[in-house]
Every structure is written in C-alpha cells, then in structure tokens.
Amino acid sequence: MNAIEIRDLSKSFRGMYAVDHLNMTVPVGAIYGFIGENGSGKSTTEKLICGHLVPDGGSIKLFGREYTDAGVRVRVGALIENAGCFPGSSVYQNLMMQAINLGIENREEEILRVLRIVRMEEHAKLKFKKCSLGMKQRVGIAMALLGEPALLILDEPINGLDTDGMRLMREILVDITQNYGCTVLISSHILGELEKIATHYGILRRGKLIAELSAKEMEKRAQVFVSLKTKDMDGALAVLARSFDKVKREGDEIRVYDVEDPTQIVACLMQNGHAVSRLKKNKIGLEEYYVELMSEKEDGERE
C-alpha cells in the first residue's frame, strides 16, 4: 500500500494549470522529497492533498482510500506556510488550543509526546513570539503531529534555518519516520539537506512530475566524474576532449565523466605537457542532477 497515490490530478487558476495532470506515488514510510522551482505547483499539490483546495480533475488516494474520506483525513498532519500560532501565547498554550480544536483526549500527555519528538520540552512555557525561526518551525511540526498522524505534509520547513537548525530538523524527520511510523512529504529548495534524509524524490516542473525515483535509483543514475585543475585549463580541456567522451568546464575545474581510473587522465595530460595540480573523484549529487534535468527539459522545449 502507498501513503499517497495521485493520478491525472489537475488544478487551474484563471485558465492556467498550476497542477497539470499530475501522477505521483509516495510509499508508506518514505521521506519523499518534493522538488521544483518557485511556481512549479508544489504548494498547490500539497494543499490539494490536504483538502484545502478542490481539484479540477483526477484522483487522490491516501492509504488506499479517497482523500475526502473522514476516516483517512484524521490520519494527515500538515504544516503549510506557517504554524498559525498566537504570538502572545506560550508554546504549550498554542498546542493545547490545537489539541482542544482536534478533540484529542489525554491532551496533556499528547502535548508532552509531541514536544519530546520536536525537542521542545524545555521551551514549553516560552511565548511563541520569542521563539527562533527554527523553534517556530518545530512548534508547527509538533502541532501537525498532534493525534499521531500517519502522513505528515511539510512545505519548506528547513528554509531560512541555520546549520544547527537544519541538522536538528533532519534528526526529527528521520525520527518521525523510523520510530513513529509516519510517512513524510517534504518540499524544499535546499537540495543538499534533502539529499541527506530523503528516501524518494519527485521533481516537478510547470505542474507536471518530470521524474520520480528512489534514493537508491538516484544513486545508480548519478554519474561518476573526476574533477581536476591545471595551470593551463583551456589547453588541458582541449587535450582531454580528444581522448574522453564527456569533458566539460565547470567553474574553476575540469570534469571528466564516466572514468573509473583517474590515472588515465593524469597520464593523458602529462603526455601532452600538462601537470595536474588537483585531482578528485566524485559523483553527481541531487542538486546537479536536478539542474541537468531542468536544462534538458528547457532544451527539449526549445526544439
């Protein structure tokens, strides 16, 4: 069973598609990284899943049931845009108001549970307006976790956080999936951070899903390359281009792709009078894969 199954989903505003016949599958237990440029339809898709918007067409199923089913709606928690807390009330008071609103029994016990998950037990009495950005995001996640949802939908929860804030957020999201049995759909522009925790990816462009793959599939697709520097970069680039299939200049380095043995590159350059000052074997990460994929789509649309 999948946590989310979307088929042929569409939503338009003023005659223009924000979500354009979208197909998407999120497995149970996944941390699904939802990626796309601004205006690609990520937030609209999340709002459709949450029932905040009504689709023009298509279907959304959550855990095998229609997303409008009351029995499945209570299994969804979400933090979209902001936590919606009262600034002058404490973290605990805001959570209590939400717990009452949701009709949760054993409210105090449940509030303490979610505060522990988001590492906010010591800040329960702090007024929301005095919380840092990272703390506010964690309070929002705590509110979304009230009632033990099976699916958590998060819209850009790590944007604007400092290094410690992002690290803590990563730990919380992994904890939620591994120890609390929750599936997470998370959108973010910070692909380097997303790559550290996501088990699956969906890449959106102009309302359409152009790629959907697991982290393992991403690892297999990621091209291996050797990056290097020499004194004469232009000359070295010309030499390598004659001997290897894919060579290109990236910023202040030359990259040679799909070469298992870097010594071949060094030998080729030395035979042509170029000394290598730096050499490193690497693999394309999520961010570069995303940029290349978007570039390919742009080129295809121009043709």
Side-chain angles (χ1 to χ4, degrees):
M1 183 188 296
N2 293 309
I4 303 173
E5 286 185 14
I6 292 175
R7 297 292 176 264
D8 207 31
L9 184 67
S10 295
K11 179 64 180 179
S12 61
F13 297 98
R14 296 179 181 176
M16 295 189 68
Y17 279 118
V19 177
D20 188 359
H21 299 85
L22 178 70
N23 293 295
M24 176 176 160
T25 304
V26 179
V28 168
I31 297 179
Y32 188 102
F34 202 27
I35 305 164
E37 59 204 346
N38 287 334
S40 61
K42 300 188 304 298
S43 294
T44 302
T45 301
E46 290 175 330
K47 289 174 183 177
L48 287 166
I49 295 169
C50 292
H52 298 169
L53 294 172
V54 178
D56 297 338
S59 66
I60 305 170
K61 287 191 175 180
L62 306 177
F63 303 101
R65 296 158 68 179
E66 290 297 324
Y67 81 111
T68 52
D69 186 303
V72 80
R73 291 242 53 85
V74 297
R75 301 181 69 190
V76 180
L79 174 59
I80 296 178
E81 294 177 356
N82 56 62
C85 292
F86 292 96
S89 298
S90 70
V91 169
Y92 183 90
Q93 288 168 336
N94 273 291
L95 287 168
M96 178 58 76
M97 285 183 274
Q98 180 69 349
I100 292 169
N101 184 49
L102 294 172
I104 292 173
E105 298 179 3
N106 303 317
R107 290 189 284 270
E108 289 191 10
E109 183 180 320
E110 177 64 1
I111 290 169
L112 291 175
R113 183 187 76 87
V114 297
L115 283 172
R116 280 195 297 271
I117 293 174
V118 300
R119 286 57 161 176
M120 287 285 289
E121 313 101 293
E122 296 178 4
H123 304 288
K125 295 181 180 179
L126 185 66
K127 286 187 177 181
F128 185 77
K129 65 183 177 183
K130 295 196 174 182
C131 291
S132 66
L133 176 60
M135 292 166 73
K136 287 177 179 177
Q137 290 294 75
R138 280 150 52 201
V139 172
I141 291 175
M143 292 183 77
L145 287 170
L146 287 169
E148 300 186 60
L151 172 63
L152 187 63
I153 298 173
L154 305 174
D155 186 25
E156 310 279 3
I158 59 177
N159 284 14
L161 302 187
D162 60 20
T163 303
D164 285 340
M166 287 191 283
R167 176 190 54 77
L168 189 54
M169 189 65 75
R170 291 198 311 267
E171 291 175 2
I172 291 167
L173 296 178
V174 171
D175 187 26
I176 288 168
T177 55
Q178 293 186 352
N179 299 317
Y180 293 90
C182 193
T183 302
V184 176
L185 170 64
I186 171 175
S187 66
S188 178
H189 288 102
I190 308 175
L191 305 190
E193 288 298 311
L194 204 56
E195 191 172 16
K196 294 173 184 176
I197 58 170
T199 62
H200 295 76
Y201 303 103
I203 300 176
L204 201 62
R205 177 176 167 80
R206 296 180 184 174
K208 293 183 178 181
L209 205 68
I210 59 173
E212 188 172 57
L213 67 167
S214 68
K216 289 181 180 178
E217 289 170 330
M218 174 70 197
E219 182 71 17
K220 289 177 183 177
R221 290 188 190 190
Q223 283 184 298
V224 174
F225 65 89
V226 174
S227 62
L228 62 95
K229 285 186 178 182
T230 69
K231 190 173 181 180
D232 179 8
M233 295 288 279
D234 292 335
L237 184 65
V239 167
L240 292 170
R242 292 196 296 267
S243 303
F244 297 92
D245 292 333
K246 187 176 179 182
V247 181
K248 65 179 181 179
R249 182 85 174 260
E250 287 284 348
D252 64 346
E253 66 182 24
I254 295 171
R255 290 187 180 183
V256 185
Y257 292 83
D258 299 324
V259 176
E260 288 298 322
D261 186 4
T263 59
Q264 298 173 25
I265 298 168
V266 176
C268 176
L269 288 172
M270 290 188 69
Q271 287 166 11
N272 289 274
H274 296 278
V276 177
S277 60
R278 194 192 76 180
L279 187 77
K280 186 178 179 182
K281 193 172 181 180
N282 215 325
K283 186 178 282 190
I284 286 179
L286 175 62
E287 188 166 354
E288 289 185 80
Y289 174 77
Y290 169 78
V291 170
E292 280 201 6
L293 188 61
M294 289 298 181
S295 179
E296 288 171 7
K297 290 293 177 183
E298 283 282 1
D299 291 342
E301 286 169 5
R302 289 194 194 103
E303 292 171 5

